[in-house]
Amino acid sequence: MAIRATLLQTKATGLVLRAGAAAIFLAAAPIQAQTVTISPIANISIPTKYSLREGTFRVSQRIGFRLGARMTLRFTDRFDVTNTVTYSPGSATLHGTGERIELASGSHSLAGSSAARYWLRPPGRPLAWELHTGVGMVFRGQPSQMDLFEASTLNAVLGTAIRYQAGQLVSFTLKVQQPLLRVRFGAQDGGTLRPLRMTFGVGFPILERLR
């Protein structure tokens, strides 16, 4: 069995890790869980990707389904720990390049994660700011007919997110994450560990309350 590991060992990452871990865990050390929430997960994702390669315009449409459960332990209005387990039976991706169309199937996967979150500015206000860290394990069969535990990946991240909510209509979230560790088991490509990931999202609070 092949094992590939990538670990960021820069001085800056070490400082960020220590600062973030101290802010999260020291704040929660003297308290006990007050509330426990268990909620189901059933999501359908339909992401569309556009790209231009070698003068050719490409479009890909992916359809995937994910189900599972999430347990949240809330200690205070500022600190909580979340454990999540999800399973995806696979996905279908339609690729279009000019007059050529291809259909590809994705692998099925089983994922488990645990994350701790500390709010510098608690939610419920127009501006909320959090620090978070977590570790997750993904078991994946690639291609889809292979055994689910044929290949797996262990990841650890540290990050922060800022959310601004404009009334009850719309919210904007900026998330920055620093990957800390990636360990691959089984026959997988080595891949690369990106030094920093930034994502921006738009949400609708009215729809979120209906979930």
Side-chain angles (χ1 to χ4, degrees):
M1 178 178 63
I3 300 177
R4 300 177 176 86
T6 307
L7 176 63
L8 292 183
Q9 296 179 329
T10 62
K11 182 177 181 181
T13 301
L15 292 175
V16 173
L17 175 60
R18 288 192 291 269
I24 293 175
F25 293 107
L26 289 181
I31 57 180
Q32 297 181 350
Q34 294 183 351
T35 60
V36 178
T37 304
I38 299 178
S39 56
I41 298 174
N43 295 333
I44 297 178
S45 60
I46 313 177
T48 304
K49 181 180 179 181
Y50 303 93
S51 62
L52 182 63
R53 299 180 183 177
E54 300 177 354
T56 303
F57 183 71
R58 303 169 184 262
V59 179
S60 64
Q61 178 69 65
R62 180 176 177 270
I63 301 176
F65 178 71
R66 186 173 61 119
L67 55 88
R70 177 183 295 111
M71 181 177 68
T72 301
L73 290 79
R74 187 174 302 278
F75 296 88
T76 70
D77 61 344
R78 291 180 178 268
F79 179 75
D80 58 59
V81 175
T82 301
N83 299 288
T84 306
V85 177
T86 59
Y87 173 74
S88 173
S91 62
T93 305
L94 188 66
H95 301 275
T97 306
E99 299 180 353
R100 184 179 179 183
I101 298 178
E102 298 179 351
L103 180 64
S105 61
S107 61
H108 61 152
S109 63
L110 175 67
S113 64
S114 181
R117 177 174 57 181
Y118 180 74
W119 294 92
L120 298 174
R121 289 183 61 89
R125 307 176 182 180
L127 182 64
W129 183 14
E130 67 168 75
L131 294 175
H132 60 264
T133 184
V135 60
M137 189 77 172
V138 179
F139 300 93
R140 189 185 306 275
Q142 181 67 38
S144 57
Q145 65 268 20
M146 291 179 63
D147 185 80
L148 178 62
F149 299 100
E150 182 72 18
S152 59
T153 305
L154 175 67
N155 293 291
V157 298
L158 175 68
T160 184
I162 298 177
R163 172 174 172 167
Y164 176 76
Q165 181 169 325
Q168 302 298 321
L169 298 177
V170 65
S171 64
F172 305 93
T173 302
L174 175 64
K175 180 182 291 186
V176 181
Q177 287 188 325
Q178 172 67 64
L180 303 175
L181 173 69
R182 174 179 295 169
V183 181
R184 294 176 179 266
F185 303 90
Q188 302 185 80
D189 295 334
T192 58
L193 188 64
R194 299 177 182 178
L196 191 67
R197 293 183 296 186
M198 298 182 63
T199 58
F200 177 78
V202 179
F204 300 95
I206 295 179
L207 298 179
E208 292 175 1
R209 288 198 298 270
L210 298 177
R211 295 175 58 182

